[in-house]
Amino acid sequence: MTITGSDSTGGSGVQADIKTISELGGYAMSAITSITVQTTLGIQQFYDVPANIVAGQIDAVMNDFEPEVVKIGLIRREDTLDVIVKALQKYRPRHVILDTVVLSSRGDTLISRDMLEAISHQLVPLCTLVIKKDDGSMHGLSNRYASAVAVFLSQGLSPDEAEARAKAYINTQVVRTSDLQGRSSELYNELIDAIVEHHREASDVRFYADLLNVSSRYLAQVTRRISGKSPKAIIDDYLIHEIELQLKSTDNTVQEIAYRFGFSSQAHFTKFFKKLRGISPTEFRKR
């Protein structure tokens, strides 16, 4: 049984635990402690499942199946920790494996220092094994290792044998897979292409997000991680560069250029240009 959080990308959390346990011939049961809203770029939001619901999930599985091995991951609330400790003391599974989740693979802090200390004092004494977390490792690899240990313990291996088998399993995963990256680079390039094609008709971030079939929020995460800029800044930078070329290389009037780039009026165009360059289009042209 795995008691941990849910990772909507499938790279870690209960999804990765179930995948690992199933791959190694085990049968996975679960109690979810927290639901995350996340992408491969990081976690945007948590919903911590109420402690009584966590307790109910554990009781249901323990009463119905009596799993002998329990693997524990993300615990973010002290009342959740309390019900987990009480359940372990009540049902006394043969092995308890703790893989405390402190940081995400992107460096997001997932639990407080006080919470970590509470886990150390209350939960660690009940554990068969505490896995040392390598937060710089590939996304989800540490908790998959802990899940593998759990499976091999459930198959009757000693802790030393289970760890050796789990390490061998994880080594094959490192060879076969690379870190979960999502489509950030591809999406960034698609955005640049879209801006080149549509900059004269659209400067709104929502337009480009809809065109690329992603949320504006995710698009902003991608651009900030890759370029350090917001999508709006990238759009405006390209637009102002093209405007400057027009001002330098054509005899079109400022008004004609304004309409060419989709501005509703020369005044609107001048305001936009002055905000980004500190001077009016006319002054820029003279210089």
Side-chain angles (χ1 to χ4, degrees), residues 227-241:
S227 69
K229 297 180 179 180
S230 68
K232 181 60 175 171
I234 294 172
I235 296 166
D236 287 350
D237 284 351
Y238 186 83
L239 185 58
I240 200 74
H241 173 71

Side-chain angles (χ1 to χ4, degrees), residues 1 3 31 53-63 83-84 87 91:
M1 179 184 189
I3 303 173
I53 301 298
V54 176
Q57 294 177 81
I58 296 172
D59 286 340
V61 171
M62 288 294 184
N63 289 332
V83 299
I84 291 172
Y91 295 109

